[in-house]
């Protein structure tokens, strides 16, 4: 996961996932404009393994996170962003600065499938557990990236056990995915959520808090 080489920044002239636009509008009599990206909505799944009393999350390298750290250390990288030639990264940072902990998740890009069906596919592909739609609980949906994309993410909860695991997960290599499955013990989960040395998404923090408020009180006492 951390063997990152031959980095180079270049203009993005087309993308399967992002479409940039500029919206012009008048608000309360004032002319304004706002740049934004259209992208896919998504699903995420909080997975709790009842056999070992732990959360199942994923860990992966995120180029956008990595480049935020690169710019913080080497601001000159983006200074030529309006030119054809961008800076090459001669001495790149270690890839670990771009690795984050996240909920199992995936984009909504299959019109023939429901959100629940897509969520079940993601749990199997990324984490190796086979769950049915009936075993999913919808927690809520919310907007993410409201200043840039405004896309909607729907959050589900799924309980699994060791018998439901059919593979090691890891995503789909043919689609460029390289995912590590990580288990966070229940008793350490809130410490993990607030530990800034483990870069993570807001979805991890929110869903752990939701679990401790809604599910943990109903668990059998040790």
């Amino acid at each position: 996961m951390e063997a990152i080489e031959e980095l180079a920044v270049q203009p993005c002239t087309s993308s399967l996932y992002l479409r940039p636009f500029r919206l012009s509008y008048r608000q309360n009599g004032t002319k304004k404009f706002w740049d934004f990206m259209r992208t896919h909505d998504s699903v995420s799944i909080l997975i709790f393994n009842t056999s070992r009393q732990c959360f199942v999350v994923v860990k992966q390298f995120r180029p956008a996170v990595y480049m935020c750290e690169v710019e913080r250390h080497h601001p000159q990288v983006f200074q030529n962003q309006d030119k054809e030639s961008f800076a090459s990264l001669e001495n790149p940072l270690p890839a670990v600065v771009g690795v984050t902990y996240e909920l199992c998740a995936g984009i909504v890009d299959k019109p023939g499938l429901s959100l629940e069906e897509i969520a079940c596919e993601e749990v199997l592909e990324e984490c190796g557990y086979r769950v049915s739609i009936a075993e999913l609980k919808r927690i809520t949906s919310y907007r993410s990236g409201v200043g840039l994309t405004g896309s909607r993410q729907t959050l589900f909860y799924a309980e699994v056990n060791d018998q439901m695991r059919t593979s090691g997960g890891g995503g789909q290599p043919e689609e460029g995915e390289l995912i590590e499955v990580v288990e966070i013990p229940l008793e350490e989960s809130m410490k993990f959520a607030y530990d800034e040395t483990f870069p993570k998404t807001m979805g991890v923090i929110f869903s752990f808090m939701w679990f401790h408020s809604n599910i943990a009180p109903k668990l059998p006492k040790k």
Side-chain angles (χ1 to χ4, degrees), residues 177-197:
E177 293 183 327
L178 180 58
I179 294 171
E180 180 181 338
V181 181
V182 180
E183 295 182 345
I184 309 296
L186 175 59
E187 63 271 17
E188 299 175 13
S189 58
M190 291 314 298
K191 179 181 178 182
F192 172 84
Y194 288 105
D195 189 339
E196 295 183 17
T197 63

Side-chain angles (χ1 to χ4, degrees), residues 88-159:
S88 295
L89 305 183
E90 300 296 338
N91 297 297
L93 297 175
V96 67
V97 303
V99 173
T100 61
Y101 294 83
E102 309 169 18
L103 297 179
C104 172
I107 60 174
V108 178
D109 62 347
K110 300 173 183 176
L113 298 183
S114 67
L115 296 180
E116 289 79 6
E117 289 171 322
I118 293 174
C120 290
E121 282 192 354
E122 295 298 335
V123 172
L124 181 61
E125 292 172 4
E126 293 191 358
C127 300
Y129 292 92
R130 189 176 298 279
V131 300
S132 67
I133 292 176
E135 291 166 317
L136 286 178
K137 174 183 175 63
R138 180 174 176 143
I139 298 177
T140 190
S141 65
Y142 44 81
R143 298 289 180 175
S144 60
V146 293
L148 182 62
T149 68
S151 58
R152 180 190 298 273
Q153 182 165 93
T154 302
L155 174 62
F156 294 95
Y157 171 64
E159 289 187 357

Side-chain angles (χ1 to χ4, degrees), residues 36-138:
F36 67 97
M37 291 276 190
R38 283 300 301 124
T39 188
H40 294 285
D41 289 341
S42 60
V43 297
S44 59
I45 310 95
L46 172 63
I47 305 171
F48 183 68
N49 185 313
T50 58
S51 298
R52 290 195 298 284
Q53 296 288 290
C54 67
F55 296 106
V56 181
V57 300
V58 298
K59 178 181 174 183
Q60 56 187 319
F61 175 78
R62 290 298 195 181
V65 175
Y66 180 82
M67 291 309 298
C68 283
E69 289 300 308
V70 168
E71 185 178 22
R72 191 162 64 88
H73 289 83
H74 306 289
Q76 72 277 7
V77 168
F78 290 104
Q79 288 177 355
N80 294 324
Q81 60 181 337
D82 295 325
K83 301 179 181 179
E84 293 184 1
S85 177
F86 278 61
S88 295
L89 305 183
E90 300 296 338
N91 297 297
L93 297 175
V96 67
V97 303
V99 173
T100 61
Y101 294 83
E102 309 169 18
L103 297 179
C104 172
I107 60 174
V108 178
D109 62 347
K110 300 173 183 176
L113 298 183
S114 67
L115 296 180
E116 289 79 6
E117 289 171 322
I118 293 174
C120 290
E121 282 192 354
E122 295 298 335
V123 172
L124 181 61
E125 292 172 4
E126 293 191 358
C127 300
Y129 292 92
R130 189 176 298 279
V131 300
S132 67
I133 292 176
E135 291 166 317
L136 286 178
K137 174 183 175 63
R138 180 174 176 143

